[in-house]
Every structure is written in C-alpha cells, then in structure tokens.
Amino acid sequence: EDRLIIPRKRPFLTTHPLEARDVHSASLVANIFDRLVSADEDGLIHPALSHSWEHDEKKLRLYLRKDVKFHDGSILSAEDVCCCLEKMRSHPYYELMWSPVAEITAKGPLVVDLLFRYPCSYALHLLSVLGASIYKETGGLLSGTGSFYIEVNNEVKTVLHTFKEHYKERSLLDVIEYVQVPKNFENVC
C-alpha cells in the first residue's frame, strides 16, 4: 500500500463542503467530493461529474455522467445534484451569488436544469467552487464521489483511503493519513 503520513498540529475544522472556509479543510474536502465542472487557472471550464452542458441566457442544462458511484455504493442521480445545489443556493455563504438562479430541476435521471431570473454568465464557474461539491447525506453522514473517502476521522488521526470505483483515474496513493502531533512539534502546519 502506498501511504503518505502527514503530521498535523490541529484537527480539520470541517469535512462538509459548504462549511470548508479554511485552507486545510478545503484541501481535505477537495479530495473527497467532486463538482459538476472544474475551472483551471485560466478560468476555462472542464467536465467533471457533468460530461457536457448547454448554456444560454435563460438556463443552464447539465448532462451527468452515467454510473458515477458515491462512496456508499449508491449511484449519482439528477435528484442528488438538485438537492446539493439547493442547499448551496440557500446557504448564507452563497445565496447572493446564486441570486440569478430561480429554479433547479431534474429533467431526467441524468439531466439538471438551472433556470435564471436574469442572464448569469458565471453559472458554470459557480458550479466549479468547492461549495458546489456533490454529496449524499444519509443519517448525518456525507458520501462523496471523489478519489478518496474518509476511513477514519477522530481527534487522533484522519485517514483517507483511495476510492477504487472513482469515475476518473485512480489515485496514485492508496492512503493519506493525517496524524495529530503535540503543538510544540517542530516543522508542521
């Protein structure tokens, strides 16, 4: 097993995509949850959970990849995407940015429409931010579709394990282990 062990002085503040405001939590969340699209350093949009889209002044239609699995084994659906996007749209951190979006609907098992109140040129970029990560919540636990899933998360350590059924290429590492060390430990973030 290829394992990376990283000493940490502080535990992660959150593992929830809508709450990840610090760089350490954001880095963790980015490995566990995927978004519908990604934006590169030049601002160009690339497919992720959605393989294609149609965008005009009135709506954005997203076509989701088939057979994408959550870490719990369930299959991603348009309803899952709508649920996550509605939570983001009503979240205090994001509601102003989402003001152009009037409605989010599933138009089929793998088709999602965002209908606009007025034109929204940044809709795809909005879907690339960390808060737009797609997850499934069951009994208070979140399942993602990312290349890693949380195997252990407690006050002593956080262990990420590779998700072998990830829809994209497999991670080079099998395990990333964050181990809590004393605050006086030298050379640790």
Side-chain angles (χ1 to χ4, degrees), residues 7 12 40 46-47 49 62-63 69 85 105 112 131 149 156 159 163:
F12 292 102
D40 65 20
H46 302 280
L49 291 174
L62 300 155
Y63 298 96
K69 286 189 178 182
L85 296 181
T105 59
V112 175
Y149 65 91
V156 178
V159 178
F163 183 45

Side-chain angles (χ1 to χ4, degrees), residues 94-162:
Y94 301 102
E95 62 186 348
L96 183 60
M97 287 189 292
W98 276 84
S99 61
V101 179
E103 188 178 350
I104 302 168
T105 59
K107 290 300 194 182
L110 298 172
V111 179
V112 175
D113 278 357
L114 279 70
L115 305 176
F116 303 130
R117 289 183 178 90
Y118 47 87
C120 183
S121 62
Y122 62 88
L124 284 166
H125 288 87
L126 183 59
L127 295 174
S128 74
V129 301
L130 195 60
S133 295
I134 303 302
Y135 56 90
K136 182 174 269 190
E137 191 167 2
T138 309
L141 298 175
L142 300 182
S143 290
T145 60
S147 56
F148 287 92
Y149 65 91
I150 297 178
E151 188 173 53
V152 175
N153 188 26
N154 58 39
E155 62 280 346
V156 178
K157 66 182 172 180
T158 299
V159 178
L160 302 182
H161 201 278
T162 192

Side-chain angles (χ1 to χ4, degrees), residues 8 28 37 61 67 91 103 110 125 143 159 176 181 183:
R8 294 202 32 93
L28 179 73
V37 297
R61 174 165 281 178
D67 301 323
H91 194 279
E103 188 178 350
L110 298 172
H125 288 87
S143 290
V159 178
I176 302 174
V181 296
K183 292 193 189 280

